[in-house]
Amino acid sequence: MMAFLDSNYLITNETGLRIFAEIRNLPVVDPHNHANVKEIAENTNYADAWQLFAATDHYVWEMLRKRNVPENLITGDAAPKEKFLAMAKIFPELAGNPVYEWIHLDLKNYFGITEQLCGESGERIWNEVNAKLATDAYRPQQLLTGPLNVEVMSSTDDLIDTLEYHKQVNEAVGRVLVRPTWRPDKAMKIFAPGWRDYIHQVEERFGMKIESFDDMLEAMTRSHAFFAENGCRASDHGLEYPVYADCAFGNVNETFRKALAGKDLTQSEIDCYMGTFLAEAAALNAETGWVTQLHIGAVRDVRYSLYESLGPDVGGDVSNHLLDFTPNLVRFLNRFDGRLKVVLYCMDAIHQMTLATLTRAFGATVSLGSAWWLNDTPIGMRRQLEYIGSIDVLSNFAGMVSDSRKLLSYGSRFEMFRRVLSDVLGGMVERGQMPEQIAMELAARMAYSGVKSFWNL
């Protein structure tokens, strides 16, 4: 029997423990996250434990809502200490959800706190964490380059971003720690309410008039080149469903002008524009050797009260297993077959079956991304690894990503992944499916060396 978060945590076999011992201290390579690069560049001390553990984490917010914590104590104007103590009070009720494990892992590994977070311990833990956060060792850059052991990370950045904070971070630490990732979603999502205002921001950023998709493509090309000059290695695109990527430019220009005029678009016009935009972005990536990430299947902002009061990205998104990924993805992958690296992520576990077969069919340049969002759990990661190991090739796995806005995720989420990976491979060794030395090499490749190579990091 294991004790809570003991040395055997998530690992059920002796071979898995040996594998984990070999990979647990490998540097972290995180090709996709939502880090606040300005925060890292400024490198000021975190104000308190709430800011560090929960202020930017919608995973935590959703769990607090599930246990009837008032919104004022989650995203509202209550004092940070009130929020932290409200979280502590209900925290034992989150057992079984990975949030419970992540935060306890971070408390244990980076603050030496093994006491469980609860109502009775909340104030003691608040005070102990805050005392350490006031020291230089707990500033963002010191955490990343020290105990978190991050070798390189790729943030997520808008098409019009000027990337000055990336340069500041890298100069401060004396190496390339943070690379940008080109995410042009705001320009692509022509249906979004703020799309026209955003196009005006693109005009200002590049000093040009944008009156057609041809003009938009020129701005995209300039932005892409600027990101390349600043060390970018990948783009990222969020899609509820794959869109048709082979529309005629004349139709797309007509749709673009119609949207600029504030006229309503049909769904087919929206899909045509977005598909063409994605294809042109991918063509730029093919020229520079960037990886193209497709995050597919998030149905956004389904809880209207949350969206109306707080806006997007606050915990109101869901998955839909009925979305049909195959036809348009097949068209897209064939269009760039053999000349574009692609990573496919899905939000619903059922779609992993489809994506695993697609990555198998399209060879070494197309890979399945790590278990994403609602699958980013011990059970989700285990199921994915076991399935792709039998359908595709584990050696081609694109690697773990934190997908996080929270700095400590580089510790807890990567440890969770490496433990699950070790347990899965160790189990295969003990069932006679592979030699232990091969499993050791495979684990190191999936956790570190293969990731660096695939993403050109």
Side-chain angles (χ1 to χ4, degrees), residues 44-65:
T44 56
N45 292 86
Y46 287 100
D48 51 63
W50 176 260
Q51 183 188 2
L52 185 69
F53 288 115
T56 61
D57 192 341
H58 61 80
Y59 288 76
V60 175
W61 301 350
E62 288 176 283
M63 294 303 101
L64 299 185
R65 292 180 190 125

mmCIF file with all atom_site columns, all heavy atoms in Angstrom, residues 44-65:
data_model
loop_
_atom_site.group_PDB
_atom_site.id
_atom_site.type_symbol
_atom_site.label_atom_id
_atom_site.label_alt_id
_atom_site.label_comp_id
_atom_site.label_asym_id
_atom_site.label_entity_id
_atom_site.label_seq_id
_atom_site.pdbx_PDB_ins_code
_atom_site.Cartn_x
_atom_site.Cartn_y
_atom_site.Cartn_z
_atom_site.occupancy
_atom_site.B_iso_or_equiv
_atom_site.pdbx_formal_charge
_atom_site.auth_seq_id
_atom_site.auth_comp_id
_atom_site.auth_asym_id
_atom_site.auth_atom_id
_atom_site.pdbx_PDB_model_num
ATOM 1   N N   . THR A 1 44 ? 9.789   39.840 -10.188 1.00 0.00 ? 44 THR A N   1
ATOM 2   C CA  . THR A 1 44 ? 9.503   40.297 -8.837  1.00 0.00 ? 44 THR A CA  1
ATOM 3   C C   . THR A 1 44 ? 8.933   39.147 -8.015  1.00 0.00 ? 44 THR A C   1
ATOM 4   O O   . THR A 1 44 ? 8.408   38.173 -8.557  1.00 0.00 ? 44 THR A O   1
ATOM 5   C CB  . THR A 1 44 ? 8.487   41.457 -8.857  1.00 0.00 ? 44 THR A CB  1
ATOM 6   O OG1 . THR A 1 44 ? 7.303   41.038 -9.546  1.00 0.00 ? 44 THR A OG1 1
ATOM 7   C CG2 . THR A 1 44 ? 9.067   42.665 -9.567  1.00 0.00 ? 44 THR A CG2 1
ATOM 8   N N   . ASN A 1 45 ? 9.033   39.275 -6.718  1.00 0.00 ? 45 ASN A N   1
ATOM 9   C CA  . ASN A 1 45 ? 8.527   38.225 -5.838  1.00 0.00 ? 45 ASN A CA  1
ATOM 10  C C   . ASN A 1 45 ? 7.011   38.084 -5.978  1.00 0.00 ? 45 ASN A C   1
ATOM 11  O O   . ASN A 1 45 ? 6.296   39.078 -6.134  1.00 0.00 ? 45 ASN A O   1
ATOM 12  C CB  . ASN A 1 45 ? 8.863   38.549 -4.383  1.00 0.00 ? 45 ASN A CB  1
ATOM 13  C CG  . ASN A 1 45 ? 10.348  38.471 -4.105  1.00 0.00 ? 45 ASN A CG  1
ATOM 14  O OD1 . ASN A 1 45 ? 11.062  39.444 -4.322  1.00 0.00 ? 45 ASN A OD1 1
ATOM 15  N ND2 . ASN A 1 45 ? 10.817  37.332 -3.628  1.00 0.00 ? 45 ASN A ND2 1
ATOM 16  N N   . TYR A 1 46 ? 6.546   36.849 -5.915  1.00 0.00 ? 46 TYR A N   1
ATOM 17  C CA  . TYR A 1 46 ? 5.103   36.623 -5.877  1.00 0.00 ? 46 TYR A CA  1
ATOM 18  C C   . TYR A 1 46 ? 4.542   37.225 -4.601  1.00 0.00 ? 46 TYR A C   1
ATOM 19  O O   . TYR A 1 46 ? 5.147   37.133 -3.520  1.00 0.00 ? 46 TYR A O   1
ATOM 20  C CB  . TYR A 1 46 ? 4.792   35.126 -5.935  1.00 0.00 ? 46 TYR A CB  1
ATOM 21  C CG  . TYR A 1 46 ? 5.038   34.535 -7.300  1.00 0.00 ? 46 TYR A CG  1
ATOM 22  C CD1 . TYR A 1 46 ? 6.206   33.825 -7.565  1.00 0.00 ? 46 TYR A CD1 1
ATOM 23  C CD2 . TYR A 1 46 ? 4.108   34.694 -8.325  1.00 0.00 ? 46 TYR A CD2 1
ATOM 24  C CE1 . TYR A 1 46 ? 6.443   33.289 -8.822  1.00 0.00 ? 46 TYR A CE1 1
ATOM 25  C CE2 . TYR A 1 46 ? 4.336   34.166 -9.579  1.00 0.00 ? 46 TYR A CE2 1
ATOM 26  C CZ  . TYR A 1 46 ? 5.504   33.462 -9.828  1.00 0.00 ? 46 TYR A CZ  1
ATOM 27  O OH  . TYR A 1 46 ? 5.741   32.936 -11.071 1.00 0.00 ? 46 TYR A OH  1
ATOM 28  N N   . ALA A 1 47 ? 3.370   37.813 -4.715  1.00 0.00 ? 47 ALA A N   1
ATOM 29  C CA  . ALA A 1 47 ? 2.787   38.526 -3.581  1.00 0.00 ? 47 ALA A CA  1
ATOM 30  C C   . ALA A 1 47 ? 2.390   37.577 -2.453  1.00 0.00 ? 47 ALA A C   1
ATOM 31  O O   . ALA A 1 47 ? 2.552   37.915 -1.274  1.00 0.00 ? 47 ALA A O   1
ATOM 32  C CB  . ALA A 1 47 ? 1.574   39.330 -4.045  1.00 0.00 ? 47 ALA A CB  1
ATOM 33  N N   . ASP A 1 48 ? 1.875   36.408 -2.831  1.00 0.00 ? 48 ASP A N   1
ATOM 34  C CA  . ASP A 1 48 ? 1.352   35.510 -1.802  1.00 0.00 ? 48 ASP A CA  1
ATOM 35  C C   . ASP A 1 48 ? 1.044   34.153 -2.420  1.00 0.00 ? 48 ASP A C   1
ATOM 36  O O   . ASP A 1 48 ? 1.156   33.950 -3.635  1.00 0.00 ? 48 ASP A O   1
ATOM 37  C CB  . ASP A 1 48 ? 0.080   36.101 -1.169  1.00 0.00 ? 48 ASP A CB  1
ATOM 38  C CG  . ASP A 1 48 ? -0.956  36.519 -2.200  1.00 0.00 ? 48 ASP A CG  1
ATOM 39  O OD1 . ASP A 1 48 ? -1.461  35.630 -2.935  1.00 0.00 ? 48 ASP A OD1 1
ATOM 40  O OD2 . ASP A 1 48 ? -1.242  37.725 -2.313  1.00 0.00 ? 48 ASP A OD2 1
ATOM 41  N N   . ALA A 1 49 ? 0.623   33.224 -1.570  1.00 0.00 ? 49 ALA A N   1
ATOM 42  C CA  . ALA A 1 49 ? 0.358   31.851 -2.000  1.00 0.00 ? 49 ALA A CA  1
ATOM 43  C C   . ALA A 1 49 ? -0.811  31.756 -2.964  1.00 0.00 ? 49 ALA A C   1
ATOM 44  O O   . ALA A 1 49 ? -0.828  30.881 -3.838  1.00 0.00 ? 49 ALA A O   1
ATOM 45  C CB  . ALA A 1 49 ? 0.094   30.972 -0.773  1.00 0.00 ? 49 ALA A CB  1
ATOM 46  N N   . TRP A 1 50 ? -1.801  32.631 -2.839  1.00 0.00 ? 50 TRP A N   1
ATOM 47  C CA  . TRP A 1 50 ? -2.927  32.582 -3.771  1.00 0.00 ? 50 TRP A CA  1
ATOM 48  C C   . TRP A 1 50 ? -2.457  32.918 -5.183  1.00 0.00 ? 50 TRP A C   1
ATOM 49  O O   . TRP A 1 50 ? -2.819  32.256 -6.148  1.00 0.00 ? 50 TRP A O   1
ATOM 50  C CB  . TRP A 1 50 ? -4.041  33.539 -3.342  1.00 0.00 ? 50 TRP A CB  1
ATOM 51  C CG  . TRP A 1 50 ? -5.175  33.590 -4.322  1.00 0.00 ? 50 TRP A CG  1
ATOM 52  C CD1 . TRP A 1 50 ? -5.405  34.549 -5.265  1.00 0.00 ? 50 TRP A CD1 1
ATOM 53  C CD2 . TRP A 1 50 ? -6.210  32.607 -4.495  1.00 0.00 ? 50 TRP A CD2 1
ATOM 54  N NE1 . TRP A 1 50 ? -6.520  34.234 -6.012  1.00 0.00 ? 50 TRP A NE1 1
ATOM 55  C CE2 . TRP A 1 50 ? -7.039  33.050 -5.556  1.00 0.00 ? 50 TRP A CE2 1
ATOM 56  C CE3 . TRP A 1 50 ? -6.517  31.408 -3.859  1.00 0.00 ? 50 TRP A CE3 1
ATOM 57  C CZ2 . TRP A 1 50 ? -8.155  32.335 -5.985  1.00 0.00 ? 50 TRP A CZ2 1
ATOM 58  C CZ3 . TRP A 1 50 ? -7.639  30.693 -4.290  1.00 0.00 ? 50 TRP A CZ3 1
ATOM 59  C CH2 . TRP A 1 50 ? -8.434  31.153 -5.336  1.00 0.00 ? 50 TRP A CH2 1
ATOM 60  N N   . GLN A 1 51 ? -1.631  33.955 -5.306  1.00 0.00 ? 51 GLN A N   1
ATOM 61  C CA  . GLN A 1 51 ? -1.121  34.327 -6.630  1.00 0.00 ? 51 GLN A CA  1
ATOM 62  C C   . GLN A 1 51 ? -0.359  33.167 -7.255  1.00 0.00 ? 51 GLN A C   1
ATOM 63  O O   . GLN A 1 51 ? -0.498  32.897 -8.454  1.00 0.00 ? 51 GLN A O   1
ATOM 64  C CB  . GLN A 1 51 ? -0.220  35.555 -6.533  1.00 0.00 ? 51 GLN A CB  1
ATOM 65  C CG  . GLN A 1 51 ? 0.272   36.030 -7.904  1.00 0.00 ? 51 GLN A CG  1
ATOM 66  C CD  . GLN A 1 51 ? 1.325   37.120 -7.817  1.00 0.00 ? 51 GLN A CD  1
ATOM 67  O OE1 . GLN A 1 51 ? 1.743   37.526 -6.731  1.00 0.00 ? 51 GLN A OE1 1
ATOM 68  N NE2 . GLN A 1 51 ? 1.783   37.597 -8.969  1.00 0.00 ? 51 GLN A NE2 1
ATOM 69  N N   . LEU A 1 52 ? 0.420   32.469 -6.467  1.00 0.00 ? 52 LEU A N   1
ATOM 70  C CA  . LEU A 1 52 ? 1.252   31.392 -6.997  1.00 0.00 ? 52 LEU A CA  1
ATOM 71  C C   . LEU A 1 52 ? 0.437   30.154 -7.369  1.00 0.00 ? 52 LEU A C   1
ATOM 72  O O   . LEU A 1 52 ? 0.641   29.556 -8.421  1.00 0.00 ? 52 LEU A O   1
ATOM 73  C CB  . LEU A 1 52 ? 2.311   31.011 -5.965  1.00 0.00 ? 52 LEU A CB  1
ATOM 74  C CG  . LEU A 1 52 ? 3.339   29.967 -6.409  1.00 0.00 ? 52 LEU A CG  1
ATOM 75  C CD1 . LEU A 1 52 ? 4.253   30.542 -7.480  1.00 0.00 ? 52 LEU A CD1 1
ATOM 76  C CD2 . LEU A 1 52 ? 4.158   29.490 -5.217  1.00 0.00 ? 52 LEU A CD2 1
ATOM 77  N N   . PHE A 1 53 ? -0.488  29.760 -6.511  1.00 0.00 ? 53 PHE A N   1
ATOM 78  C CA  . PHE A 1 53 ? -1.166  28.476 -6.671  1.00 0.00 ? 53 PHE A CA  1
ATOM 79  C C   . PHE A 1 53 ? -2.484  28.543 -7.446  1.00 0.00 ? 53 PHE A C   1
ATOM 80  O O   . PHE A 1 53 ? -2.883  27.563 -8.057  1.00 0.00 ? 53 PHE A O   1
ATOM 81  C CB  . PHE A 1 53 ? -1.453  27.855 -5.304  1.00 0.00 ? 53 PHE A CB  1
ATOM 82  C CG  . PHE A 1 53 ? -0.244  27.331 -4.606  1.00 0.00 ? 53 PHE A CG  1
ATOM 83  C CD1 . PHE A 1 53 ? 0.186   27.903 -3.416  1.00 0.00 ? 53 PHE A CD1 1
ATOM 84  C CD2 . PHE A 1 53 ? 0.470   26.266 -5.122  1.00 0.00 ? 53 PHE A CD2 1
ATOM 85  C CE1 . PHE A 1 53 ? 1.313   27.420 -2.760  1.00 0.00 ? 53 PHE A CE1 1
ATOM 86  C CE2 . PHE A 1 53 ? 1.601   25.781 -4.475  1.00 0.00 ? 53 PHE A CE2 1
ATOM 87  C CZ  . PHE A 1 53 ? 2.016   26.359 -3.295  1.00 0.00 ? 53 PHE A CZ  1
ATOM 88  N N   . ALA A 1 54 ? -3.176  29.674 -7.426  1.00 0.00 ? 54 ALA A N   1
ATOM 89  C CA  . ALA A 1 54 ? -4.555  29.624 -7.917  1.00 0.00 ? 54 ALA A CA  1
ATOM 90  C C   . ALA A 1 54 ? -5.041  30.834 -8.700  1.00 0.00 ? 54 ALA A C   1
ATOM 91  O O   . ALA A 1 54 ? -6.047  30.732 -9.402  1.00 0.00 ? 54 ALA A O   1
ATOM 92  C CB  . ALA A 1 54 ? -5.500  29.398 -6.730  1.00 0.00 ? 54 ALA A CB  1
ATOM 93  N N   . ALA A 1 55 ? -4.364  31.958 -8.619  1.00 0.00 ? 55 ALA A N   1
ATOM 94  C CA  . ALA A 1 55 ? -4.904  33.188 -9.202  1.00 0.00 ? 55 ALA A CA  1
ATOM 95  C C   . ALA A 1 55 ? -5.073  33.127 -10.708 1.00 0.00 ? 55 ALA A C   1
ATOM 96  O O   . ALA A 1 55 ? -5.906  33.847 -11.282 1.00 0.00 ? 55 ALA A O   1
ATOM 97  C CB  . ALA A 1 55 ? -4.026  34.381 -8.821  1.00 0.00 ? 55 ALA A CB  1
ATOM 98  N N   . THR A 1 56 ? -4.294  32.271 -11.388 1.00 0.00 ? 56 THR A N   1
ATOM 99  C CA  . THR A 1 56 ? -4.364  32.208 -12.853 1.00 0.00 ? 56 THR A CA  1
ATOM 100 C C   . THR A 1 56 ? -4.811  30.844 -13.360 1.00 0.00 ? 56 THR A C   1
ATOM 101 O O   . THR A 1 56 ? -4.757  30.589 -14.564 1.00 0.00 ? 56 THR A O   1
ATOM 102 C CB  . THR A 1 56 ? -2.982  32.514 -13.457 1.00 0.00 ? 56 THR A CB  1
ATOM 103 O OG1 . THR A 1 56 ? -2.037  31.527 -12.985 1.00 0.00 ? 56 THR A OG1 1
ATOM 104 C CG2 . THR A 1 56 ? -2.500  33.892 -13.065 1.00 0.00 ? 56 THR A CG2 1
ATOM 105 N N   . ASP A 1 57 ? -5.283  29.974 -12.481 1.00 0.00 ? 57 ASP A N   1
ATOM 106 C CA  . ASP A 1 57 ? -5.514  28.569 -12.836 1.00 0.00 ? 57 ASP A CA  1
ATOM 107 C C   . ASP A 1 57 ? -7.001  28.247 -12.882 1.00 0.00 ? 57 ASP A C   1
ATOM 108 O O   . ASP A 1 57 ? -7.640  28.031 -11.841 1.00 0.00 ? 57 ASP A O   1
ATOM 109 C CB  . ASP A 1 57 ? -4.802  27.672 -11.823 1.00 0.00 ? 57 ASP A CB  1
ATOM 110 C CG  . ASP A 1 57 ? -4.733  26.215 -12.276 1.00 0.00 ? 57 ASP A CG  1
ATOM 111 O OD1 . ASP A 1 57 ? -5.521  25.827 -13.159 1.00 0.00 ? 57 ASP A OD1 1
ATOM 112 O OD2 . ASP A 1 57 ? -3.902  25.469 -11.729 1.00 0.00 ? 57 ASP A OD2 1
ATOM 113 N N   . HIS A 1 58 ? -7.560  28.169 -14.091 1.00 0.00 ? 58 HIS A N   1
ATOM 114 C CA  . HIS A 1 58 ? -8.999  27.896 -14.194 1.00 0.00 ? 58 HIS A CA  1
ATOM 115 C C   . HIS A 1 58 ? -9.352  26.469 -13.798 1.00 0.00 ? 58 HIS A C   1
ATOM 116 O O   . HIS A 1 58 ? -10.507 26.178 -13.509 1.00 0.00 ? 58 HIS A O   1
ATOM 117 C CB  . HIS A 1 58 ? -9.525  28.222 -15.588 1.00 0.00 ? 58 HIS A CB  1
ATOM 118 C CG  . HIS A 1 58 ? -8.924  27.436 -16.707 1.00 0.00 ? 58 HIS A CG  1
ATOM 119 N ND1 . HIS A 1 58 ? -9.314  26.158 -17.006 1.00 0.00 ? 58 HIS A ND1 1
ATOM 120 C CD2 . HIS A 1 58 ? -7.977  27.757 -17.623 1.00 0.00 ? 58 HIS A CD2 1
ATOM 121 C CE1 . HIS A 1 58 ? -8.637  25.715 -18.047 1.00 0.00 ? 58 HIS A CE1 1
ATOM 122 N NE2 . HIS A 1 58 ? -7.802  26.667 -18.439 1.00 0.00 ? 58 HIS A NE2 1
ATOM 123 N N   . TYR A 1 59 ? -8.361  25.562 -13.778 1.00 0.00 ? 59 TYR A N   1
ATOM 124 C CA  . TYR A 1 59 ? -8.619  24.230 -13.233 1.00 0.00 ? 59 TYR A CA  1
ATOM 125 C C   . TYR A 1 59 ? -9.045  24.342 -11.761 1.00 0.00 ? 59 TYR A C   1
ATOM 126 O O   . TYR A 1 59 ? -9.994  23.698 -11.317 1.00 0.00 ? 59 TYR A O   1
ATOM 127 C CB  . TYR A 1 59 ? -7.355  23.362 -13.311 1.00 0.00 ? 59 TYR A CB  1
ATOM 128 C CG  . TYR A 1 59 ? -6.931  22.885 -14.665 1.00 0.00 ? 59 TYR A CG  1
ATOM 129 C CD1 . TYR A 1 59 ? -6.302  23.736 -15.560 1.00 0.00 ? 59 TYR A CD1 1
ATOM 130 C CD2 . TYR A 1 59 ? -7.124  21.566 -15.050 1.00 0.00 ? 59 TYR A CD2 1
ATOM 131 C CE1 . TYR A 1 59 ? -5.880  23.297 -16.810 1.00 0.00 ? 59 TYR A CE1 1
ATOM 132 C CE2 . TYR A 1 59 ? -6.706  21.109 -16.290 1.00 0.00 ? 59 TYR A CE2 1
ATOM 133 C CZ  . TYR A 1 59 ? -6.092  21.973 -17.162 1.00 0.00 ? 59 TYR A CZ  1
ATOM 134 O OH  . TYR A 1 59 ? -5.665  21.541 -18.398 1.00 0.00 ? 59 TYR A OH  1
ATOM 135 N N   . VAL A 1 60 ? -8.303  25.145 -11.002 1.00 0.00 ? 60 VAL A N   1
ATOM 136 C CA  . VAL A 1 60 ? -8.634  25.354 -9.594  1.00 0.00 ? 60 VAL A CA  1
ATOM 137 C C   . VAL A 1 60 ? -9.986  26.039 -9.471  1.00 0.00 ? 60 VAL A C   1
ATOM 138 O O   . VAL A 1 60 ? -10.832 25.646 -8.654  1.00 0.00 ? 60 VAL A O   1
ATOM 139 C CB  . VAL A 1 60 ? -7.537  26.190 -8.904  1.00 0.00 ? 60 VAL A CB  1
ATOM 140 C CG1 . VAL A 1 60 ? -7.937  26.520 -7.459  1.00 0.00 ? 60 VAL A CG1 1
ATOM 141 C CG2 . VAL A 1 60 ? -6.205  25.454 -8.922  1.00 0.00 ? 60 VAL A CG2 1
ATOM 142 N N   . TRP A 1 61 ? -10.213 27.071 -10.273 1.00 0.00 ? 61 TRP A N   1
ATOM 143 C CA  . TRP A 1 61 ? -11.473 27.806 -10.181 1.00 0.00 ? 61 TRP A CA  1
ATOM 144 C C   . TRP A 1 61 ? -12.689 26.883 -10.357 1.00 0.00 ? 61 TRP A C   1
ATOM 145 O O   . TRP A 1 61 ? -13.666 26.986 -9.621  1.00 0.00 ? 61 TRP A O   1
ATOM 146 C CB  . TRP A 1 61 ? -11.519 28.893 -11.247 1.00 0.00 ? 61 TRP A CB  1
ATOM 147 C CG  . TRP A 1 61 ? -10.421 29.892 -11.180 1.00 0.00 ? 61 TRP A CG  1
ATOM 148 C CD1 . TRP A 1 61 ? -9.503  30.063 -10.170 1.00 0.00 ? 61 TRP A CD1 1
ATOM 149 C CD2 . TRP A 1 61 ? -10.098 30.861 -12.175 1.00 0.00 ? 61 TRP A CD2 1
ATOM 150 N NE1 . TRP A 1 61 ? -8.631  31.073 -10.473 1.00 0.00 ? 61 TRP A NE1 1
ATOM 151 C CE2 . TRP A 1 61 ? -8.967  31.584 -11.701 1.00 0.00 ? 61 TRP A CE2 1
ATOM 152 C CE3 . TRP A 1 61 ? -10.638 31.206 -13.403 1.00 0.00 ? 61 TRP A CE3 1
ATOM 153 C CZ2 . TRP A 1 61 ? -8.413  32.616 -12.434 1.00 0.00 ? 61 TRP A CZ2 1
ATOM 154 C CZ3 . TRP A 1 61 ? -10.073 32.234 -14.142 1.00 0.00 ? 61 TRP A CZ3 1
ATOM 155 C CH2 . TRP A 1 61 ? -8.965  32.933 -13.650 1.00 0.00 ? 61 TRP A CH2 1
ATOM 156 N N   . GLU A 1 62 ? -12.596 26.001 -11.351 1.00 0.00 ? 62 GLU A N   1
ATOM 157 C CA  . GLU A 1 62 ? -13.733 25.112 -11.603 1.00 0.00 ? 62 GLU A CA  1
ATOM 158 C C   . GLU A 1 62 ? -14.008 24.202 -10.414 1.00 0.00 ? 62 GLU A C   1
ATOM 159 O O   . GLU A 1 62 ? -15.158 23.934 -10.072 1.00 0.00 ? 62 GLU A O   1
ATOM 160 C CB  . GLU A 1 62 ? -13.460 24.277 -12.856 1.00 0.00 ? 62 GLU A CB  1
ATOM 161 C CG  . GLU A 1 62 ? -13.540 25.073 -14.146 1.00 0.00 ? 62 GLU A CG  1
ATOM 162 C CD  . GLU A 1 62 ? -13.165 24.233 -15.349 1.00 0.00 ? 62 GLU A CD  1
ATOM 163 O OE1 . GLU A 1 62 ? -11.956 24.002 -15.553 1.00 0.00 ? 62 GLU A OE1 1
ATOM 164 O OE2 . GLU A 1 62 ? -14.081 23.797 -16.067 1.00 0.00 ? 62 GLU A OE2 1
ATOM 165 N N   . MET A 1 63 ? -12.939 23.707 -9.791  1.00 0.00 ? 63 MET A N   1
ATOM 166 C CA  . MET A 1 63 ? -13.128 22.823 -8.640  1.00 0.00 ? 63 MET A CA  1
ATOM 167 C C   . MET A 1 63 ? -13.737 23.584 -7.459  1.00 0.00 ? 63 MET A C   1
ATOM 168 O O   . MET A 1 63 ? -14.583 23.046 -6.729  1.00 0.00 ? 63 MET A O   1
ATOM 169 C CB  . MET A 1 63 ? -11.787 22.214 -8.226  1.00 0.00 ? 63 MET A CB  1
ATOM 170 C CG  . MET A 1 63 ? -11.186 21.262 -9.255  1.00 0.00 ? 63 MET A CG  1
ATOM 171 S SD  . MET A 1 63 ? -12.294 19.883 -9.685  1.00 0.00 ? 63 MET A SD  1
ATOM 172 C CE  . MET A 1 63 ? -12.966 20.475 -11.266 1.00 0.00 ? 63 MET A CE  1
ATOM 173 N N   . LEU A 1 64 ? -13.324 24.816 -7.241  1.00 0.00 ? 64 LEU A N   1
ATOM 174 C CA  . LEU A 1 64 ? -13.895 25.603 -6.155  1.00 0.00 ? 64 LEU A CA  1
ATOM 175 C C   . LEU A 1 64 ? -15.374 25.861 -6.402  1.00 0.00 ? 64 LEU A C   1
ATOM 176 O O   . LEU A 1 64 ? -16.189 25.807 -5.467  1.00 0.00 ? 64 LEU A O   1
ATOM 177 C CB  . LEU A 1 64 ? -13.129 26.920 -5.998  1.00 0.00 ? 64 LEU A CB  1
ATOM 178 C CG  . LEU A 1 64 ? -11.640 26.804 -5.660  1.00 0.00 ? 64 LEU A CG  1
ATOM 179 C CD1 . LEU A 1 64 ? -11.031 28.182 -5.422  1.00 0.00 ? 64 LEU A CD1 1
ATOM 180 C CD2 . LEU A 1 64 ? -11.402 25.913 -4.452  1.00 0.00 ? 64 LEU A CD2 1
ATOM 181 N N   . ARG A 1 65 ? -15.729 26.142 -7.641  1.00 0.00 ? 65 ARG A N   1
ATOM 182 C CA  . ARG A 1 65 ? -17.151 26.329 -7.955  1.00 0.00 ? 65 ARG A CA  1
ATOM 183 C C   . ARG A 1 65 ? -17.955 25.059 -7.692  1.00 0.00 ? 65 ARG A C   1
ATOM 184 O O   . ARG A 1 65 ? -19.096 25.122 -7.224  1.00 0.00 ? 65 ARG A O   1
ATOM 185 C CB  . ARG A 1 65 ? -17.316 26.759 -9.419  1.00 0.00 ? 65 ARG A CB  1
ATOM 186 C CG  . ARG A 1 65 ? -16.784 28.146 -9.727  1.00 0.00 ? 65 ARG A CG  1
ATOM 187 C CD  . ARG A 1 65 ? -16.972 28.527 -11.186 1.00 0.00 ? 65 ARG A CD  1
ATOM 188 N NE  . ARG A 1 65 ? -16.249 29.763 -11.489 1.00 0.00 ? 65 ARG A NE  1
ATOM 189 C CZ  . ARG A 1 65 ? -15.347 29.895 -12.451 1.00 0.00 ? 65 ARG A CZ  1
ATOM 190 N NH1 . ARG A 1 65 ? -15.057 28.871 -13.243 1.00 0.00 ? 65 ARG A NH1 1
ATOM 191 N NH2 . ARG A 1 65 ? -14.740 31.047 -12.642 1.00 0.00 ? 65 ARG A NH2 1
#
